[in-house]
Amino acid sequence: MLSKSQISFIKSLHQKKYRKEHGLFIVEGIKSIKEFINSSYHIHTIFYNSEQYNLLPKLPANINLFEVKNAELDKISTLQTPQGFLALVHIPKNKQLDQKELKNQFTLVLDGVQDPGNMGTIIRTADWFGFKNIICSLDSVEVFNPKTVQATMGSLARVNIFETDLPAFLTDNKLPVFGALLDGESIYKTQWGNEGLVILGNEGKGISPEVIKKINKPVTIPRIGEAESLNVAVSAAIFCAELVRVRN
Amino acid sequence: MLSKSQISFIKSLHQKKYRKEHGLFIVEGIKSIKEFINSSYHIHTIFYNSEQYNLLPKLPANINLFEVKNAELDKISTLQTPQGFLALVHIPKNKQLDQKELKNQFTLVLDGVQDPGNMGTIIRTADWFGFKNIICSLDSVEVFNPKTVQATMGSLARVNIFETDLPAFLTDNKLPVFGALLDGESIYKTQWGNEGLVILGNEGKGISPEVIKKINKPVTIPRIGEAESLNVAVSAAIFCAELVRVRN
């Protein structure tokens, strides 16, 4: 049984401030938890519902296991419908971004994406299409937000996320810089070459003026109808799909 | 000032049951409301915050206008941060689906899409790419759900939505039936021709067995990485973008 202080500790991790303070984030659902077990992430504790114990894989000895009742899971879960398993996972140290690792590939760069669902969906899509790294500006939504983690469906365990001062990073960068803008070359006609950064902006404001200056290849998804804009996760997906198409 | 019964009436429209009973749904934000004013939809009432009165366009005389205070808007809004304007809009009668109207074009067909945000994003994306119609199975999320309306960003005013018994509709249908499946032809190599239906399935369960039987051209978005699946709004967007690419 969970103590009051355990419950309040886990609930504190619903908030960014305490995730940062304790260096832990929450992953729910056995499928996603398994992805983190089989990754470079370190699991701290897994809380499981006794009825579903048999779904747990063999675990390394350094992972704490804790049986909980459904009512307890309701209290600590970030979901409206808890999924039987909740893990606390260590937040990794922000990896040093080495420009050499970005050569001969395309990398998504997110400038101020704010919606946790969009962020998670972009990570999941990037993973589907085999993109290894995503670079986020410092004002992007935190990727360890429970809604983001949930929306990645386990892909967060595989895609490397780098948070960085974007204008400074782009000043040092030598790769071609593509950017999703409304007045660029058609995405279908763009000469992509074999490497580059693809910048996508904030849901409402788009790419910030400081970052726009660094774009040397503006690219547009042609609009046939009348919607004013596309959702950023949708734009990211169309870029990923097109990059995979032209490289194959 | 809003009476208690007005407030409770508007709040009842947050729920599907009462939207159906009263034939009204809620649109918030002046941008979206303007799209509905300039469409075939009929507006019932617009509630506006007096400070933003000047943002209202000239309105036909048959639209009720009602000034409200911020605190009142907080009570009736479906949003965490109300946007100064809330309109009640009449739900149109479900249009009769005429197969002839679907010729010489591609139409998205949604089989059991459940998430209102996904549904809204698909409508917005379809509008961007100039798709005129979307067909939804009877067990899809209702398009007049406030979260769906919000996610369409006004595009619901332009894209025709048909709710229909999908297996029955597909039995009568003579158009090619493409379907997003995991074991089909690559989307990049598919011979699309110049018309057809493109079926996308439920977030968890995919396309239902009854509907899968009607697909004569299974299509797959190639997976390069390791994610198990794509978000359905992301898949829909990749199909729309690819269809626009090959037709241009």
Side-chain angles (χ1 to χ4, degrees):
Chain A
M1 204 175 124
L2 290 172
S3 68
K4 272 191 181 174
S5 73
Q6 275 179 306
I7 291 173
S8 100
F9 174 75
I10 301 164
K11 283 181 71 171
S12 79
L13 300 175
H14 294 203
Q15 292 173 59
K16 181 175 177 177
K17 177 183 165 189
Y18 296 103
R19 286 195 291 276
K20 212 168 166 184
E21 184 174 325
H22 300 297
L24 291 169
F25 68 102
I26 291 171
V27 179
E28 298 196 60
I30 189 63
K31 263 175 132 176
S32 289
I33 291 171
K34 278 184 184 170
E35 309 271 19
F36 281 92
I37 293 170
N38 298 320
S39 76
S40 63
Y41 283 80
H42 299 288
I43 314 280
H44 180 282
T45 307
I46 297 175
F47 300 93
Y48 68 95
N49 177 323
S50 58
E51 297 158 27
Q52 296 177 278
Y53 178 76
N54 59 332
L55 295 177
L56 272 175
K58 275 198 183 168
L59 294 171
N62 63 351
I63 298 178
N64 302 312
L65 265 180
F66 210 103
E67 183 175 325
V68 290
K69 299 214 173 78
N70 276 330
E72 294 176 302
L73 212 48
D74 284 348
K75 284 186 191 159
I76 60 175
S77 175
T78 67
L79 304 172
Q80 281 191 340
T81 315
Q83 301 186 0
F85 295 89
L86 184 152
L88 307 185
V89 182
H90 291 280
I91 295 178
K93 286 186 187 148
N94 196 6
K95 296 158 207 152
Q96 201 58 38
L97 183 51
D98 182 351
Q99 302 246 1
K100 282 179 210 152
E101 281 176 41
L102 305 178
K103 289 192 76 66
N104 299 313
Q105 64 190 285
F106 288 90
T107 300
L108 297 181
V109 178
L110 308 179
D111 182 24
V113 167
Q114 283 307 300
D115 181 83
N118 285 341
M119 176 62 86
T121 302
I122 293 171
I123 294 169
R124 177 179 173 195
T125 307
D127 184 29
W128 175 275
F129 285 111
F131 290 68
K132 298 288 175 226
N133 306 299
I134 293 178
I135 298 170
C136 301
S137 65
L138 297 176
D139 63 346
S140 301
V141 62
E142 181 216 11
V143 296
F144 303 109
N145 179 305
K147 286 183 187 164
T148 302
V149 175
Q150 199 62 28
T152 74
M153 303 279 277
S155 290
L156 178 60
R158 282 183 295 266
V159 178
N160 299 315
I161 312 290
F162 299 95
E163 287 181 14
T164 192
D165 176 335
L166 211 48
F169 165 73
L170 292 168
T171 301
D172 287 346
N173 160 67
K174 301 213 165 42
L175 294 166
V177 183
F178 300 87
L181 293 168
L182 286 171
D183 55 352
E185 167 116 63
S186 162
I187 187 174
Y188 306 129
K189 293 175 183 161
T190 295
Q191 297 297 317
W192 293 99
N194 69 341
E195 59 184 14
L197 308 174
V198 179
I199 303 182
L200 295 143
N202 170 273
E203 286 85 352
K205 293 178 284 183
I207 302 174
S208 58
E210 239 185 322
V211 171
I212 285 187
K213 284 185 211 155
K214 311 288 186 183
I215 294 173
N216 37 49
K217 302 182 185 243
V219 182
T220 296
I221 299 170
R223 181 172 75 155
I224 314 297
E226 294 180 61
E228 201 174 272
S229 63
L230 284 170
N231 168 282
V232 63
V234 156
S235 298
I238 292 169
F239 274 90
C240 290
E242 183 63 7
L243 283 164
V244 165
R245 187 187 70 79
V246 297
R247 300 197 86 193
N248 283 288
Chain B
M1 203 174 126
L2 291 172
S3 68
K4 270 192 182 173
S5 72
Q6 276 179 304
I7 292 173
S8 100
F9 175 75
I10 301 164
K11 282 181 73 172
S12 80
L13 300 175
H14 294 203
Q15 292 173 61
K16 180 175 178 177
K17 178 183 166 191
Y18 295 103
R19 286 193 293 275
K20 214 170 166 182
E21 183 173 327
H22 300 297
L24 291 168
F25 68 103
I26 291 172
V27 179
E28 299 197 58
I30 189 63
K31 263 174 132 175
S32 289
I33 291 171
K34 279 185 183 170
E35 309 272 18
F36 281 91
I37 293 170
N38 299 321
S39 77
S40 63
Y41 282 82
H42 298 288
I43 314 282
H44 180 282
T45 307
I46 297 175
F47 300 93
Y48 67 95
N49 176 323
S50 58
E51 296 158 28
Q52 295 177 278
Y53 179 75
N54 60 331
L55 293 178
L56 271 175
K58 276 199 183 168
L59 294 171
N62 64 351
I63 298 179
N64 301 312
L65 266 178
F66 210 102
E67 184 176 325
V68 289
K69 301 215 173 79
N70 277 329
E72 294 177 301
L73 213 49
D74 285 348
K75 283 184 191 160
I76 59 175
S77 175
T78 66
L79 304 172
Q80 281 191 339
T81 316
Q83 300 186 2
F85 295 88
L86 183 151
L88 307 186
V89 182
H90 291 280
I91 295 177
K93 288 187 184 146
N94 197 6
K95 296 157 207 153
Q96 201 57 37
L97 183 52
D98 182 352
Q99 301 246 2
K100 282 178 210 152
E101 281 177 40
L102 305 179
K103 289 192 74 67
N104 299 313
Q105 63 190 285
F106 288 90
T107 301
L108 297 181
V109 178
L110 308 179
D111 182 24
V113 167
Q114 284 306 300
D115 181 84
N118 284 341
M119 176 62 86
T121 302
I122 293 171
I123 294 170
R124 178 180 173 194
T125 306
D127 184 30
W128 175 275
F129 284 111
F131 290 68
K132 298 287 174 225
N133 306 299
I134 292 178
I135 298 170
C136 300
S137 66
L138 297 175
D139 63 345
S140 301
V141 63
E142 182 217 9
V143 296
F144 303 109
N145 179 304
K147 285 183 188 166
T148 302
V149 175
Q150 198 62 28
T152 74
M153 303 280 278
S155 290
L156 179 59
R158 281 184 295 267
V159 178
N160 299 316
I161 311 289
F162 299 95
E163 287 182 13
T164 193
D165 177 335
L166 212 49
F169 165 74
L170 291 170
T171 300
D172 287 345
N173 161 67
K174 302 216 164 41
L175 294 165
V177 184
F178 301 86
L181 293 168
L182 286 172
D183 54 351
E185 167 118 61
S186 162
I187 188 173
Y188 305 129
K189 292 177 184 160
T190 295
Q191 297 297 316
W192 294 100
N194 70 341
E195 58 184 15
L197 308 174
V198 179
I199 304 182
L200 296 142
N202 169 273
E203 286 84 352
K205 293 177 283 183
I207 302 174
S208 59
E210 239 185 322
V211 171
I212 285 186
K213 284 184 210 152
K214 311 288 187 184
I215 294 173
N216 37 50
K217 301 182 184 244
V219 183
T220 297
I221 299 170
R223 181 171 75 156
I224 314 297
E226 294 180 60
E228 200 173 273
S229 64
L230 283 170
N231 169 282
V232 63
V234 156
S235 298
I238 292 169
F239 275 90
C240 291
E242 183 63 7
L243 282 164
V244 166
R245 188 187 71 78
V246 296
R247 300 198 85 193
N248 284 288

